Amino acid sequence: MITKLRQYISWWLLGFFTIILIVACDRSFNSLESDPTVLNNLESCRLVSHEMGKTEVCGQPQKVLALSPHILDIILALGVQPTGLAQNVSSQIQTYDNPPAQIPYLGRWVTTEPVGVGSRGTPSLERIKLLQPDLILGESFFQQNLYPLLTQIAPTLLFDDLNNPNEIQSWKQDIDGIAEALGREEQVEELLKTHDQQIAQARTALQPVLQTYPRVFVMSSNLGATYIASRPESAVSRLLQEIGFEIVRPSGFPERYVAISQEVIPQVETDLIIVTTVEDNVELNTEDSKPQATMREKWAQNPLLSSMPVFQQGRVFFVDYYLWNGVSRGPLSDQLILEALPDLLLPIVQ
């Protein structure tokens, strides 16, 4: 009798828990079915390739950390606002509550108040962890050593648009991976189309200059002239090439980037010179600092440089390093440069 009673209780308990399990599973399924965000995340996980390998990303990340101005430019162009960002230099800004004034050039497109996490070379891991981002995007050149630590905070992808030695530095080389990580692949084709249209418009506007002065030497320098370099790989060099100009280099210096002396500059056979200019202390370089005006005065006072015919004829142009050399290189920076080029160059043929 006792044995039968035990068997009865065992079967009853088994049936009871089976019913509970079925109901729980049904509720779980129904909750997934009624929550499209969760279901979408489960269905849209993908492995995204980047410089450090492949990383799984699910859905469309909502809290995105941009660890350089270059990454910021691309995510803004793709329609994503940053939760946090790192600048090219050290910054004491804790919260970018006035982006147009605090973020050079790109701030006009920032509609949030992102948290500052320091510089792209030494971002604050503590502040990044407090942000609890869904996705971290950066550049392998600056954050490769931090990659193992960053991956412990959130899915981290590092990109490099200089990984192909046969191609000039360009956001086109890494935008596909960034767009895939953000779930924004459909925006890429439209961005490329818009870029081609902008190039075509600039080419039409600059035809008088292109026909008369087709050769351009692009260089960079700080105000103290302790740093001078040939920059055929810069952002403006790439855009000028796309328009149809010939980017020239100093004779005997075939490298994409090479330091040179002042004495080399007059030896370069060129029709135009564009000097991307930076403050001696890069920490002081902002959109409003205008070191290019000071650099123009220094060239005028330098007997070697001021005696060059290209300078005397007004065909040396001084521009800001941050935008024109490629610190923030991306679709939005390209747009700003292409809009500025006609105003910069057309006066020499009018």
Side-chain angles (χ1 to χ4, degrees), residues 40-82:
N40 178 64
N41 281 349
L42 290 175
E43 292 178 346
S44 63
C45 291
R46 63 271 183 199
L47 283 176
V48 183
S49 298
H50 57 107
E51 288 301 307
M52 309 305 293
K54 293 184 177 181
T55 298
E56 184 179 55
V57 183
C58 297
Q60 285 192 332
Q62 300 301 306
K63 297 174 67 177
V64 180
L65 177 64
L67 287 183
S68 75
H70 168 58
I71 297 296
L72 176 63
D73 190 312
I74 290 181
I75 72 169
L76 288 172
L78 290 169
V80 174
Q81 290 292 320

Side-chain angles (χ1 to χ4, degrees), residues 237-253:
S237 296
R238 170 176 49 82
L239 293 173
L240 288 170
Q241 278 189 316
E242 291 186 56
I243 291 170
F245 287 92
E246 176 190 357
I247 303 300
V248 300
R249 311 180 187 204
S251 178
F253 295 93

Side-chain angles (χ1 to χ4, degrees), residues 72-288:
L72 176 63
D73 190 312
I74 290 181
I75 72 169
L76 288 172
L78 290 169
V80 174
Q81 290 292 320
T83 296
L85 65 92
Q87 285 283 30
N88 61 311
V89 295
S90 297
S91 173
Q92 301 303 315
I93 296 176
Q94 303 294 305
T95 301
Y96 290 90
D97 52 7
N98 185 12
Q102 297 165 322
I103 304 173
Y105 300 102
L106 301 176
R108 66 200 70 185
W109 284 285
V110 177
T111 59
T112 57
E113 294 187 0
V115 172
V117 297
S119 72
R120 61 187 178 184
T122 55
S124 169
L125 294 175
E126 181 180 2
R127 292 185 66 79
I128 293 173
K129 189 173 182 178
L130 289 173
L131 273 177
Q132 297 183 326
D134 300 324
L135 181 67
I136 300 173
L137 298 175
E139 297 184 68
S140 58
F141 184 85
F142 299 105
Q143 295 103 30
Q144 182 172 352
N145 293 337
L146 295 174
Y147 181 72
L149 298 174
L150 292 169
T151 58
Q152 295 178 26
I153 301 173
T156 301
L157 293 83
L158 303 183
F159 295 89
D160 180 7
D161 58 349
L162 278 177
N163 54 11
N164 187 339
N166 298 318
E167 292 189 33
I168 200 166
Q169 190 176 27
S170 172
W171 54 267
K172 295 179 183 179
Q173 295 181 40
D174 53 25
I175 192 171
D176 286 330
I178 295 174
E180 185 180 3
L182 295 171
R184 300 270 177 160
E185 298 96 320
E186 67 277 4
Q187 273 86 1
V188 174
E189 184 176 352
E190 186 62 32
L191 281 176
L192 294 174
K193 180 180 178 181
T194 298
H195 176 77
D196 290 342
Q197 292 172 344
Q198 292 169 346
I199 289 291
Q201 292 170 357
R203 184 183 298 120
T204 299
L206 291 170
Q207 272 304 305
V209 182
L210 184 58
Q211 293 174 3
T212 309
Y213 304 113
R215 299 174 302 172
V216 185
F217 174 50
V218 180
M219 57 169 286
S220 57
S221 175
N222 65 341
L223 293 179
T226 56
Y227 157 77
I228 304 174
S230 169
R231 299 307 297 257
E233 87 296 349
S234 66
V236 66
S237 296
R238 170 176 49 82
L239 293 173
L240 288 170
Q241 278 189 316
E242 291 186 56
I243 291 170
F245 287 92
E246 176 190 357
I247 303 300
V248 300
R249 311 180 187 204
S251 178
F253 295 93
E255 298 90 345
R256 291 170 59 159
Y257 162 82
V258 63
I260 60 175
S261 65
Q262 282 191 1
E263 288 72 24
V264 171
I265 300 172
Q267 301 173 22
V268 180
E269 296 183 3
T270 186
D271 301 311
L272 307 173
I273 297 178
I274 293 180
V275 185
T276 63
T277 308
V278 65
E279 298 274 5
D280 291 331
N281 180 358
V282 295
E283 303 285 345
L284 302 176
N285 208 68
T286 67
E287 184 175 348
D288 298 322

